[in-house]
Amino acid sequence: MFSFGEFFEAQVQALRREQRYRRFRILGRRAGEFPRARLAEPDRPPRDVVVWCSNDYLGMSQHPTVLAAGHEALGRYGAGAGGTRNISGTHELIVALESELASLHRKSGALVFSSGYVANDTTLATLGRNLPGCTFFSDASNHASMIEGIRRSGAGCEVFAHNDPDSLHRLLARSDPATPRVVAFESLYSMDGDIAPIPALVATAKHHGALVFVDETHAVGVHGPEGAGLVAQAGLLEQVDIVQGGLGKGYGAVGGFVTANATLIDFLRSYAPGFIFTTALPPAVAASALASVRHLRQSLRERRTLFERVTAVRSALELAGLPLLNSESQILPLIVGDSAVCERVADRLIDVHGVYLQPINYPTVPRGSERFRITPTALHTDPMAEALLVALRAELLREDIVRAA
Ligand code: PLP
């Protein structure tokens, strides 16, 4: 008989051998204190750390307005939504959130999902499964959630070179113009921090009559007018058919969404299993997300502070000769290039310096480009940035990744 136990054990051991076994840090984030947090691990005394690897870029997860909205909704409506949207979970707060997101993107419709992952996966899978003879044109660096949705859809898929409109053009030119083609890419890539050439990609897709889907998970809230993202910043909301966004990163809550014209949204609402067959977002989450979106539509303060901080940290690390990728965004990847070294450095950063940076290993990034993904937030202070620099310099010198000046 098949030994399930041996199978699972062997799979996990293989990850250990390859130095890519995932170790989770047990992190107690405390409202009002982020980016300070407390690491509580079973066999070690609790340690206070400064978190440098969060996607809570603007600190909205603890913004007083966001917390107040969540508390109020929790008290008023209770914890759970009580059902799927179809059956009993279409809460007025979710409707209000969708209406706010549609207005943010100047679209006639929006649909909220339980996560950004689900928004990508189920939207793309639903398009691919239902559009007759559909082919996707997918950027080579697209997120796992997009790849998974495309794969599960059973539709054809051509992968274009990362951020390369010419490569996209060549593939589209070979395709049958009578068939539905969907171009899918991210506006801001979360591991390299680079930004897509949105105007050129959109123009290429539109030239060939393709539908355009853009993942703005890491851009909404943080970039563009009213925090609408990079497509809005490029003035291309009308040309991009589907804008996907996350509520769990810049907006500090959880969930995902797409905005599009009302007919396309109605189609997704009616055909997407990952939307239909799952319990709706809890009212408190919808309320917090809504408060966060509304706040960031009219406040520039958080974004200004974030980008001042990002510029300061980037220049300090570059000046110290640390191997930063040349990113164009709030994400600063520091390349270590070896998973074992990454793990060792991460342990010492915590144990010696109280700095929490999570190693990013294969398959999240290609082998040989293992890294730390440093994400300054609007809430990091100058002394925290100084301590990060000292800690990284010391530990990377120790590993011979940087040389003494
Ligand atoms: N899209 C991109 C580009 C991401 O980086 C992520 C997650 O990190 C997601 C989608 C999924 O978003 P969520 O965490 O809301 O599920």
Side-chain angles (χ1 to χ4, degrees):
M1 265 186 292
F2 188 80
S3 170
F4 292 98
E6 272 173 32
F7 173 81
F8 297 134
E9 184 57 33
Q11 295 293 303
V12 173
Q13 284 308 337
L15 294 180
R16 284 190 202 275
R17 264 196 315 279
E18 292 168 27
Q19 306 269 16
R20 51 190 193 94
Y21 179 71
R22 289 179 195 259
R23 191 152 53 103
F24 291 164
R25 298 287 189 177
I26 304 172
L27 191 67
R29 281 167 54 110
R30 287 169 292 183
E33 291 182 24
F34 177 76
R36 288 207 166 80
R38 175 156 285 206
L39 276 186
E41 288 169 317
D43 41 2
R44 316 176 79 166
R47 274 152 307 156
D48 288 330
V49 291
V50 174
V51 179
W52 282 97
C53 50
S54 164
N55 292 323
D56 190 4
Y57 304 116
L58 301 166
M60 294 308 285
S61 74
Q62 60 179 20
H63 191 283
T65 309
V66 174
L67 293 192
H71 283 308
E72 213 265 327
L74 187 65
R76 182 185 290 237
Y77 301 114
T84 67
R85 292 282 296 276
N86 255 341
I87 294 179
S88 48
T90 293
H91 197 281
E92 59 192 343
L93 279 168
I94 297 190
V95 177
L97 176 59
E98 287 176 343
S99 151
E100 190 73 32
L101 292 166
S103 134
L104 177 71
H105 282 162
R106 317 265 183 271
K107 302 275 188 199
S108 51
L111 201 61
V112 167
F113 301 83
S114 24
S115 70
Y117 186 103
V118 174
N120 277 341
D121 176 62
T122 202
T123 299
L124 294 172
T126 304
L127 289 173
R129 195 173 297 135
N130 289 279
L131 287 166
C134 174
T135 307
F136 286 100
F137 295 79
S138 173
D139 186 285
S141 296
N142 273 346
H143 188 257
S145 52
M146 297 163 86
I147 296 171
E148 201 59 34
I150 291 171
R151 191 177 287 152
R152 288 193 314 101
S153 78
C157 180
E158 303 274 2
V159 175
F160 63 93
H162 176 53
N163 278 351
D164 185 344
D166 292 336
S167 164
L168 173 63
H169 171 70
R170 282 193 295 276
L171 292 172
L172 279 167
R174 285 200 325 229
S175 66
D176 178 355
T179 59
R181 285 143 315 141
V182 179
V183 172
F185 62 92
E186 297 176 30
S187 64
L188 197 178
Y189 287 82
S190 69
M191 289 302 142
D192 285 358
D194 56 334
I195 290 175
I198 302 172
L201 290 173
V202 171
T204 307
K206 287 290 147 190
H207 173 76
H208 291 278
L211 191 93
V212 183
F213 176 104
V214 182
D215 172 324
E216 292 243 56
T217 298
H218 292 274
V220 285
V222 177
H223 294 269
E226 301 180 0
L230 289 161
V231 170
Q233 185 162 297
L236 290 170
L237 280 171
E238 259 183 56
Q239 282 90 322
V240 173
D241 303 280
I242 306 178
V243 183
Q244 181 271 8
L247 298 169
K249 301 188 189 319
Y251 288 128
V254 70
F257 64 90
V258 295
T259 61
N261 75 51
T263 313
L264 208 162
I265 293 297
D266 208 16
F267 161 79
L268 289 174
R269 189 183 67 82
S270 316
Y271 286 89
F275 170 79
I276 298 170
F277 300 105
T278 189
T279 298
L281 281 186
V285 168
S288 290
L290 178 59
S292 186
V293 174
R294 281 187 177 150
H295 179 82
L296 291 174
R297 287 190 81 172
Q298 46 77 33
S299 169
L300 276 176
R301 200 162 63 84
E302 294 77 11
R303 273 180 282 160
R304 279 209 189 108
T305 317
L306 168 66
F307 285 105
E308 279 166 22
R309 182 61 51 213
V310 169
T311 306
V313 172
R314 182 191 281 121
S315 337
L317 297 186
E318 276 173 356
L319 208 64
L322 302 193
L324 275 193
L325 267 194
N326 194 14
S327 92
E328 305 153 85
S329 67
Q330 73 273 24
I331 297 163
L332 307 178
L334 185 127
I335 303 299
V336 173
D338 182 295
S339 55
V341 177
C342 237
E343 294 287 339
R344 244 186 350 253
V345 171
D347 282 347
R348 285 187 52 88
L349 284 174
I350 287 175
D351 293 340
V352 182
H353 307 274
V355 164
Y356 173 40
L357 270 175
Q358 184 72 32
I360 313 265
N361 292 333
Y362 175 83
T364 309
V365 294
R367 282 186 216 275
S369 78
E370 289 82 358
R371 66 191 65 185
F372 295 115
R373 181 178 170 274
I374 303 171
T375 49
T377 72
L379 299 176
H380 284 91
T381 61
D382 286 339
M384 286 174 186
E386 180 57 27
L388 171 75
L389 177 65
V390 169
L392 279 172
R393 237 185 98 68
E395 295 311 322
L396 296 181
L397 264 173
R398 214 184 137 87
E399 292 288 350
D400 231 9
I401 290 173
V402 287
R403 307 216 173 276

